[in-house]
């Protein structure tokens, strides 16, 4: 980027694409809320709304990618600037997946409408609240250039994983109590897994945001707390 | 890219990064095979090997990303070339996730060693064979610049989704027959879901490969055959 003018144009374009990413994050948050509401209140109308609105997030990701490619072509950023631009695109990819997972939660809500579970929603709600807090934290970190805040999301994800461990065990016990529970609680297990994966995507974003701010990798291995892959309940 | 020399350097660098991507795909294929073998034969040693080797794929993704960033910085590709380079990086991201999913299958194999399922592995094996064929097809398409072959992967994914639908129902029936089956078949359900998601990642790759070859988007909406999100078994 040779001159003052190009640098100003680059900064403006970066702000514009950041605004799109923040818009994506807001859409994801409201989609996730509505998806979980559709599960809790067995509301098919809300569920269908989430499924329908998912394409707005897909569209925003497409715009982010196009703007990033435009910036790469026109501004030819180098070194840290280049990695920052690439990290913004990767953040949009994670947000798009979080939208897909919210839509999948709503698809399962539609199955639950036909075959409702008894209880077990409150623990799931706690998971969702934790994940929503993570999304807000990482996006504030992104907006305010606060890399320490981005790092704190890593630790929050451990909490989500621990909640998932107890939800997982709780649902298995309902399934063991009564075979009629197997079908609805299988969907709830996958719903909880989707929420846990949304948490994983937020930690990916935290790593990207850290990079965007600091120009270097977060060090250390991400703490993993999801033990459900090795859970044996007999 | 101003001159002949730069264009030759760009072509060579592109070939080098393509070779890394093909290496990633080969690692993913062997990891998936070993993961499923560890499930079928309840072999903890194989399972641990898959988990340990996953970092090789992570490392390769890191190398692809670094080489792509180097190409962007040095060669400043434009238009189709630029999109091609970005698509190569996205392909590596999908392959890395496929490695993660294979490692997760092996984690669950370790749980199954302690609490083995009765039957239901043969249907899972069929899913895996289909997904492995998809990976091979998409990588041949990538190597031989065959966009029609890349598109055929979309259709193959429908077959995987259909196999997943029947596996899903089969496992639910085992769970309903005997509460002792609930814990192992929950792991098998998640294993089958992981295989189905590996198939989804292959279709993402097919879209990227199509782009790399044709310089334009695959048109039409991807056919989706996974109905398990809305399956109700009473």
């Amino acid at each position: 980027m040779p001159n003052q003018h190009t640098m100003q144009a680059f900064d403006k374009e970066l702000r514009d694409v950041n605004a799109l990413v923040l818009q994506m994050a807001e859409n994801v948050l409201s989609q996730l809320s509505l998806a979980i509401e559709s599960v809790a209140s067995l509301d098919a109308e809300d569920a269908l709304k989430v499924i329908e609105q998912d394409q707005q997030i897909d569209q925003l990701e497409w715009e982010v990618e196009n703007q990033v490619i435009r910036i790469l072509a026109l501004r030819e950023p180098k070194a840290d600037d280049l990695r920052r631009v690439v990290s913004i695109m990767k953040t949009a990819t994670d947000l798009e997946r979080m939208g897909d997972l919210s839509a999948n939660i709503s698809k399962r809500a539609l199955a639950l409408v036909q075959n409702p579970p008894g209880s077990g929603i409150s623990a799931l709600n706690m998971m969702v609240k934790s994940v929503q807090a993570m999304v807000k934290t990482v996006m504030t970190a992104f907006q305010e250039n606060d890399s320490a805040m981005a790092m704190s999301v890593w630790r929050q994800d451990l909490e989500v994983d621990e909640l998932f461990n107890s939800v997982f065990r709780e649902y298995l016990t309902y399934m063991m109590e009564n075979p009629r529970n197997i079908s609805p609680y299988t969907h709830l297990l996958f719903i909880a897994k989707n929420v846990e994966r949304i948490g994983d995507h937020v930690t990916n974003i935290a790593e990207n945001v850290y990079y965007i701010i600091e120009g270097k990798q977060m060090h250390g291995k991400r703490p993993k707390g999801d033990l459900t892959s090795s859970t044996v309940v007999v």
Side-chain angles (χ1 to χ4, degrees), chain A:
Chain A
M1 283 180 289
N3 62 42
Q4 185 73 12
H5 172 74
T6 311
M7 272 166 64
Q8 281 175 356
F10 175 73
D11 287 344
K12 190 199 169 299
E13 285 160 1
L14 218 52
R15 279 197 303 277
D16 288 348
V17 73
N18 280 353
L20 278 180
V21 168
L22 287 169
Q23 181 61 54
M24 280 186 84
E26 287 199 7
N27 284 23
V28 165
L29 272 177
S30 67
Q31 287 280 88
L32 177 58
S33 293
L34 196 58
I36 288 297
E37 258 179 61
S38 73
V39 172
S41 57
L42 300 170
D43 187 327
E45 211 173 302
D46 278 354
L48 289 168
K49 210 184 282 175
V50 174
I51 295 163
E52 197 190 291
Q53 288 171 349
D54 184 44
Q55 61 188 21
Q56 291 172 15
I57 297 177
D58 295 352
Q59 181 59 33
L60 283 167
E61 190 210 3
W62 181 235
E63 284 173 34
V64 169
E65 197 177 314
N66 281 332
Q67 289 206 16
V68 163
I69 286 185
R70 200 173 158 271
I71 293 172
L72 290 174
L74 287 181
R75 308 301 164 204
E76 300 169 353
K78 300 280 176 281
D80 291 348
D81 281 338
L82 174 55
R83 275 214 177 257
R84 284 191 176 100
V85 170
V86 169
S87 296
I88 290 169
M89 191 173 68
K90 289 174 79 173
T91 299
T93 306
D94 280 299
L95 285 166
E96 191 273 334
R97 281 297 300 144
M98 289 157 71
D100 282 352
L101 290 163
S102 303
N104 185 268
I105 290 172
S106 281
K107 273 189 201 160
R108 293 179 187 280
L110 292 177
L112 293 176
V113 169
Q114 296 172 66
N115 190 15
S119 45
I121 303 295
S122 59
L124 182 65
N125 268 331
M126 278 176 65
M127 274 185 81
V128 173
K129 281 200 177 18
S130 282
V131 166
Q132 285 169 326
M134 284 173 71
V135 177
K136 284 176 192 154
T137 306
V138 86
M139 285 300 143
T140 309
F142 179 69
Q143 244 179 327
E144 297 178 0
N145 285 319
D146 187 335
S147 59
M149 195 187 279
M151 268 196 105
S152 74
V153 168
W154 261 17
R155 290 186 293 275
Q156 278 178 279
D157 191 46
L158 262 182
E159 191 184 297
V160 174
D161 285 349
E162 279 162 19
L163 285 168
F164 181 48
N165 293 337
S166 36
V167 167
F168 187 89
R169 282 171 176 275
E170 183 185 346
Y171 291 173
L172 283 196
T173 61
Y174 292 132
M175 290 160 90
M176 286 169 181
E177 270 165 28
N178 187 344
R180 284 175 196 278
N181 286 338
I182 289 173
S183 187
Y185 283 96
T186 299
H187 285 300
L188 277 175
L189 272 181
F190 277 107
I191 289 171
K193 180 69 190 169
N194 284 345
V195 176
E196 187 267 336
R197 282 176 53 214
I198 291 176
D200 285 346
H201 283 288
V202 185
T203 62
N204 289 347
I205 294 176
E207 290 171 22
N208 284 325
V209 168
Y210 186 91
Y211 197 98
I212 293 166
I213 300 166
E214 296 289 334
K216 64 178 184 195
Q217 293 279 118
M218 235 183 216
H219 45 76
K221 206 156 169 60
R222 180 199 302 182
K224 291 243 181 184
D226 171 14
L227 307 172
T228 60
S229 301
S230 49
T231 298
V232 180
V233 178
V234 190

